[in-house]
Amino acid sequence: MLFDYDIRRDIIRFTPNADRLFRIHGLVQKDFLKNMGNRYIYGGDIEEVSQLFSGRLKKDKNEVRVRLMYPDRDNYFWTLIQYRYDYKKGTISSVVGKITDIEEQKRHEEYLLEMSETDGLTGLRNKLATEVEIHWQERRQSF
């Protein structure tokens, strides 16, 4: 799904397939940043999305992972937003990009991580994973 966002006018436009990917309130939305709130973006990801659309993300960064709400249920799923800033007279004027569903990829990454931290015979955490957890807990308690 593609989008373009006009920073100066605070208007975002989505391609027609957007409503099949995630929950939105219209393919063209005025006052997008001003009214973004928690409509279909996971609360913990709102600040990063706000930074993306206001042109405040690092210039060398060109993608972010955020959670959006399914179009037909009240659950969130992982997406990858790849974007590019367009400039006029040296100032960011718009953001164009693509949003891709990466939920299955994230599940596979979590599965591989779990496998790497688990002993194959016992099903318990392996030595390295246990040492990392102990170290993390010690650091947390020292703060």
Side-chain angles (χ1 to χ4, degrees):
M1 193 261 335
L2 305 175
F3 67 87
D4 77 79
Y5 174 70
D6 185 323
I7 290 177
R8 187 174 42 83
R9 297 186 328 186
D10 193 19
I11 296 175
I12 194 165
R13 292 181 298 270
F14 296 103
T15 52
N17 60 341
D19 59 354
R20 290 189 299 267
L21 178 63
F22 67 101
R23 186 176 296 177
I24 61 172
H25 303 306
L27 296 177
V28 177
Q29 297 179 28
K30 296 179 181 182
D31 300 324
F32 176 71
L33 264 185
K34 188 166 72 172
N35 297 322
M36 185 171 60
N38 197 358
R39 294 184 293 187
Y40 48 81
I41 300 166
Y42 181 74
D45 298 333
I46 288 177
E47 180 59 31
E48 189 164 32
V49 171
S50 177
Q51 289 178 8
L52 172 119
F53 287 111
S54 62
R56 294 181 289 153
L57 286 181
K58 293 180 181 178
K59 291 183 181 184
D60 61 336
K61 195 173 181 183
N62 62 356
E63 64 183 39
V64 295
R65 292 177 180 211
V66 300
R67 289 156 286 189
L68 301 177
M69 190 171 286
Y70 282 106
D72 55 354
R73 52 194 150 135
D74 291 338
N75 294 347
Y76 293 96
F77 68 101
W78 282 101
T79 62
L80 175 69
I81 301 177
Q82 297 169 299
Y83 64 92
R84 181 190 71 183
Y85 290 131
D86 284 336
Y87 294 82
K88 285 187 182 170
K89 298 180 182 178
T91 304
I92 298 174
S93 62
S94 64
V95 183
V96 294
K98 176 175 85 168
I99 301 174
T100 307
D101 179 350
I102 60 167
E103 181 67 17
E104 191 169 318
Q105 176 186 337
K106 288 291 283 184
R107 271 194 240 124
H108 187 66
E109 288 172 2
E110 289 171 6
Y111 168 76
L112 291 175
L113 182 62
E114 183 180 321
M115 293 294 292
S116 72
E117 295 177 342
T118 305
D119 180 271
L121 291 175
T122 65
L124 301 173
R125 295 190 96 174
N126 62 26
K127 180 181 177 185
L128 180 61
T130 302
E131 289 173 351
V132 168
E133 179 67 23
I134 290 170
H135 179 71
W136 183 82
Q137 290 293 338
E138 287 173 345
R139 287 194 65 192
R140 195 172 134 224
Q141 288 177 356
S142 67
F143 288 114

